[in-house]
């Protein structure tokens, strides 16, 4: 006969009303929009079908997390436990995997749109099954205030529950009430990610993915996000969210310097010397890489790479997305709207080079030449009239203003 959990899955789906997603007690027992081909490896949210097919990559923390949640749920609790994860570390996937592993033992639900109706749904699930319920929440869908309200309301109704709270931190720490999912991942995990992603990526990208999994020079990149980025590049849909999460707390002065760095990384073959980037940030030119990381903060540090050759953004697509988000006018959803502000941004960069007295640096002159003067080869037709960046400005007027500014600064 049907178990309590199967009855809940099959008969009570209509009560969820798009606010709560029920983890099915058996494969495909409840159809949702997420149960189609979700493109998980390309950056989509993992579906229950994906989990049933084990399309995710085993993480070192998963078994420990599942065992811990099982023990706590068996004690009939009303408490919370957290997954503290850095951006791009895969916290959502680990939480859903844990819920999936426990689905036949306890009711497991994911809140996707918080409202007061959610309280009624969770209360009903507990009364219907007489089992403690696992509730998965994420900061993107449930604010800290809503989480506290949820906790208080359920406890007041004597519902037995365990909230699995998925929260993003740039420097996650494990505590008695939380596990940490941080990067870089371990080498063993990296090998598993290489196996999963290399089979899906184009052949010409597999060597780079192997380097990511094995080489010391790529350790700073070793996270689920970068495996997806290297495997699918422009088709990887998580790039905007990752950049936004990394930059959301940056002061304007830091954000401006970071986007100037992004301009160089995207449209030049050079890296900015550490001394010059320190000056653009308003720091002493001789400041160390460690001091630079402190000023940038934990979020931007995930975008920036500091080497003996200088400072750059870790990937051209990240650099372009940084410019897109920084220069796009508010309330304008056009993905190309950022280009309208590019000419003024270039002019200000040239002025800053002069104002900070960086124009005597041979490396800086090489960067400016690459950005504004070096003509790009076009397949089949030789070289274009202007550099890629100048041609991107989109108007003869904008091109002329930038080039005149350059000529004025460097007569």
């Amino acid at each position: 006969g049907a178990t309590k959990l199967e009855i809940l899955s099959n008969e009570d789906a209509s009560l969820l009303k798009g606010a709560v997603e029920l983890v099915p007690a058996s494969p495909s027992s409840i159809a949702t929009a997420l149960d189609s081909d979700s493109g998980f490896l390309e950056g989509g949210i993992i579906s229950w079908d994906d989990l049933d097919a084990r399309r995710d990559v085993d993480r070192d923390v998963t078994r420990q997390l599942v065992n811990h949640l099982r023990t706590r749920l068996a004690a009939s609790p009303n408490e919370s436990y957290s997954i503290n994860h850095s951006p791009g570390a895969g916290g959502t996937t680990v939480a859903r995997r844990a819920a999936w592993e426990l689905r036949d033992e306890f009711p497991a639900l994911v809140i996707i749109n918080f409202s007061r109706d959610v309280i009624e749904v969770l209360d009903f699930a507990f009364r219907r099954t007489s089992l403690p319920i696992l509730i998965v929440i994420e900061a993107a869908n449930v604010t800290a205030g809503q989480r506290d309200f949820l906790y208080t309301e359920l406890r007041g109704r004597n519902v037995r529950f365990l909230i699995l709270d998925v929260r993003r931190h740039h420097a996650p720490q494990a505590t008695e009430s939380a596990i940490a999912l941080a990067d870089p991942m371990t080498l063993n995990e990296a090998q598993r990610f290489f196996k999963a992603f290399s089979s899906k990526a184009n052949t010409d990208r597999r060597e780079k993915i192997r380097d990511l999994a094995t080489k010391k020079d790529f350790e700073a990149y070793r996270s689920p996000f970068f495996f997806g980025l290297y495997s699918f590049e422009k088709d990887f849909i998580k790039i905007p969210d990752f950049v936004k999460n990394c930059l959301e707390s940056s002061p304007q002065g830091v954000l401006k310097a970071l986007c100037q760095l992004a301009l160089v990384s995207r449209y030049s073959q050079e890296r900015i010397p550490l001394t010059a980037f320190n000056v653009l940030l308003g720091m002493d030119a001789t400041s160390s890489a460690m001091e630079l990381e402190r000023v940038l903060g934990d979020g931007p540090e995930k975008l920036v790479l500091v080497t003996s050759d200088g400072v750059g953004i870790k990937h051209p697509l990240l650099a372009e997305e940084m410019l897109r988000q920084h220069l796009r006018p508010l309330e304008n959803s056009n993905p190309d709207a950022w280009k309208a502000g590019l000419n003024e941004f270039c002019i200000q960069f040239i002025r800053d080079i002069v104002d900070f007295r960086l124009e005597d640096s041979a490396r800086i002159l090489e960067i400016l030449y690459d950005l504004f003067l070096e003509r790009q080869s076009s397949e089949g037709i030789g070289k274009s009239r202007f550099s890629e960046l100048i041609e991107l400005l989109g108007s003869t007027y904008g091109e002329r203003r930038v080039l005149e500014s350059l000529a004025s600064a460097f007569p």
Side-chain angles (χ1 to χ4, degrees):
T3 67
K4 293 178 180 180
L5 292 175
E6 288 171 335
I7 292 171
L8 181 64
S9 296
N10 292 325
E11 297 184 6
D12 300 316
S14 61
L15 294 174
L16 305 183
K17 300 177 181 177
V20 176
E21 189 178 352
L22 178 65
V23 183
S26 57
S28 303
S29 63
I30 177 171
T32 72
L34 287 176
D35 285 328
S36 60
D37 183 9
S38 62
F40 161 62
L41 290 181
E42 292 90 342
I45 296 176
I46 195 164
S47 72
W48 307 124
D49 280 354
D50 290 330
L51 289 162
D52 185 43
R54 302 205 70 87
R55 295 187 185 109
D56 56 332
V57 181
D58 288 338
R59 305 302 302 271
D60 292 348
V61 301
T62 303
R63 180 173 297 181
Q64 172 192 347
L65 174 65
V66 171
N67 289 338
H68 187 80
L69 296 176
R70 179 183 287 118
T71 299
R72 289 196 171 205
L73 284 163
S76 200
N78 44 22
E79 57 188 55
S80 64
Y81 192 77
S82 297
I83 298 177
N84 295 332
H85 69 100
S86 55
T92 297
T93 301
V94 170
R96 284 177 168 253
R97 167 54 67 186
W100 180 258
E101 293 299 316
L102 294 167
R103 71 194 187 282
D104 291 325
E105 302 171 53
F106 304 97
L109 302 101
V110 181
I111 298 178
I112 55 178
N113 185 20
F114 186 82
S115 69
R116 287 182 175 271
D117 289 340
V118 167
I119 307 294
E120 303 302 326
V121 172
L122 298 175
D123 190 5
F124 176 84
F126 171 66
R127 306 297 170 193
R128 183 66 178 262
T129 63
S130 300
L131 291 169
I133 56 177
L134 176 64
I135 307 165
V136 180
I137 66 173
E138 291 193 70
N141 301 325
V142 181
T143 67
Q146 290 169 337
R147 175 197 59 198
D148 294 343
F149 176 77
L150 173 69
Y151 180 90
T152 301
E153 284 291 309
L154 292 179
R155 192 168 186 176
R157 296 181 182 215
N158 203 30
V159 173
R160 316 317 293 174
F161 64 90
L162 177 59
I163 295 174
L164 182 57
D165 188 11
V166 185
R167 296 279 151 175
R168 188 178 63 249
H169 299 268
H170 291 298
Q173 299 290 326
T175 67
E176 289 186 0
S177 58
I179 65 163
L181 195 63
D183 43 60
M185 65 176 62
T186 65
L187 282 172
N188 286 336
E189 284 185 315
Q191 288 297 323
R192 297 194 290 268
F193 271 82
F194 169 71
K195 182 178 179 180
F197 280 88
S198 62
S199 65
K200 300 294 184 181
N202 291 341
T203 304
D204 61 346
R205 298 173 186 166
R206 291 176 187 170
E207 189 61 33
K208 195 67 174 286
I209 303 169
R210 185 185 300 276
D211 290 344
L212 177 60
T214 59
K215 291 189 175 180
K216 179 69 173 177
D217 290 347
F218 285 79
E219 184 176 12
Y221 299 76
R222 206 169 286 151
S223 75
F225 173 83
F226 280 101
F227 274 99
L229 178 61
Y230 282 141
S231 298
F232 302 107
E233 295 189 348
K234 288 186 177 180
D235 294 325
F236 189 56
I237 65 176
K238 280 293 187 182
I239 296 173
D241 284 345
F242 183 80
V243 169
K244 181 181 178 182
N245 291 336
C246 289
L247 296 180
E248 61 186 355
S249 300
S250 298
Q252 279 301 311
V254 171
L255 186 59
K256 176 186 174 184
L258 283 169
C259 289
Q260 290 174 336
L261 181 63
L263 185 77
V264 173
S265 293
R266 174 61 183 84
Y267 297 106
S268 167
Q269 302 303 311
E270 300 288 336
R271 289 181 176 168
I272 296 182
L274 176 60
T275 53
F277 189 59
N278 284 339
V279 172
L280 288 172
L281 271 170
M283 301 167 57
D284 187 278
T286 60
S287 297
S288 66
M290 186 176 297
E291 179 65 13
L292 171 62
E293 292 174 357
R294 186 192 67 78
V295 171
L296 290 179
D298 292 324
E301 185 185 350
K302 299 184 184 305
L303 299 168
V304 174
L305 186 67
V306 183
T307 70
S308 59
D309 293 331
V311 188
I313 300 300
K314 289 181 176 178
H315 195 283
L317 290 175
L318 295 177
E320 185 171 313
E321 182 60 30
M322 291 168 68
L323 291 168
R324 180 178 288 109
Q325 293 188 17
H326 182 61
L327 297 177
R328 183 174 57 210
L330 294 176
E331 310 300 330
N332 193 325
S333 59
N334 183 344
D336 291 327
W338 65 280
K339 296 176 184 177
L342 193 54
N343 62 337
E344 290 296 336
F345 188 73
C346 290
I347 291 169
Q348 185 59 56
F349 180 54
I350 295 168
R351 289 172 179 166
D352 286 349
I353 293 296
V354 174
D355 291 346
F356 288 121
R357 300 185 178 183
L358 299 173
E359 70 273 18
D360 292 333
S361 164
R363 288 277 302 279
I364 293 297
L365 293 178
E366 288 177 10
I367 287 170
L368 293 175
Y369 185 85
D370 282 349
L371 286 176
F372 302 117
L373 300 176
E374 177 69 21
R375 295 182 296 162
Q376 302 297 308
S377 295
S378 299
E379 187 175 347
I381 59 173
K383 287 187 178 289
S384 59
R385 290 178 59 225
F386 299 111
S387 71
E388 180 185 5
L389 178 56
I390 289 295
E391 292 197 336
L392 195 65
L393 298 179
S395 72
T396 302
Y397 175 71
E399 295 168 358
R400 187 174 69 247
R401 288 193 64 221
V402 171
L403 292 175
E404 287 176 348
S405 177
L406 187 66
S408 176
F410 300 92

